[in-house]
Amino acid sequence: MTSDLVQDAWNRIDAWLREHAPRTFATLRPPAGDEEIAAAQEELGVTFPPDLVASLQRHNGALEGPEAFRFNTGDRLLGVSGILGDTGFLRGIDQGPDAETEGYWLHDYVKFGSYDVTSDGLLMDCRTGRDSFGVVGRFFDETGTSFGQADSLGEYLTELAGTLERGQDAGAPPRTAGR
């Protein structure tokens, strides 16, 4: 089950951070409530993939700052309010009449990781009924959206856990800052 994969990955990530980067671990927020997640889906008019729901039920994002939990792309984990704000912002950009065919930003994309200094970040395809539902991609404000990061958030987090366990600092700031 995908939510089990997410929980297992977060167990591994949390354990690594507690031992190697406790101040970064401390930036991970408590779980989001079911009502908050449901309200966000309704506000955005999408269905979150089960992996995103499971992740939000574990950590409702990470606090901002130099020691914030970040994915290996440099993107900070967003909670419900960040997802709403960043996704809403990207939906509001006037992309012209060909936006849907160019794939710059589609209405049913949901941003869950933010680079913070630009609109770049990690996103998930929330178009239900498609093979791409739940696929993780990356958005660059200059070039648009590309996929191939992972087939699911569970897979993405599992890869991150392995990277950390192999001694690579993805998910944490430089070693000196995360202690």
Side-chain angles (χ1 to χ4, degrees), residues 45-121:
V46 299
T47 299
F48 291 169
D51 286 10
L52 181 56
V53 172
S55 184
L56 288 167
Q57 289 171 333
R58 179 65 174 256
H59 293 298
N60 190 12
L63 299 173
E64 293 184 46
E67 295 177 341
F69 172 83
R70 295 185 181 278
F71 295 102
N72 58 357
T73 55
D75 300 306
R76 180 177 53 85
L77 177 67
L78 292 175
V80 172
S81 65
I83 288 170
L84 288 170
D86 282 24
T87 299
F89 172 79
L90 289 165
R91 285 180 176 178
I93 296 173
D94 183 12
Q95 301 168 33
D98 296 328
E100 290 292 316
T101 58
E102 292 175 13
Y104 185 78
W105 186 268
L106 300 183
H107 180 271
D108 290 346
Y109 291 168
V110 170
K111 188 174 169 189
F112 70 91
S114 178
Y115 196 66
D116 287 337
V117 296
T118 67
S119 59
D120 298 350

Side-chain angles (χ1 to χ4, degrees), residues 97-163:
D98 296 328
E100 290 292 316
T101 58
E102 292 175 13
Y104 185 78
W105 186 268
L106 300 183
H107 180 271
D108 290 346
Y109 291 168
V110 170
K111 188 174 169 189
F112 70 91
S114 178
Y115 196 66
D116 287 337
V117 296
T118 67
S119 59
D120 298 350
L122 292 168
L123 65 103
M124 194 171 280
D125 188 342
C126 293
R127 294 178 291 170
T128 57
R130 301 178 74 108
D131 290 341
S132 59
F133 181 69
V135 172
V136 175
R138 182 99 170 94
F139 174 78
F140 291 101
D141 58 4
E142 294 178 6
T143 58
T145 302
S146 63
F147 288 94
Q149 300 292 320
D151 288 339
S152 70
L153 183 56
E155 287 181 19
Y156 193 75
L157 291 170
T158 298
E159 177 58 34
L160 174 60
T163 299

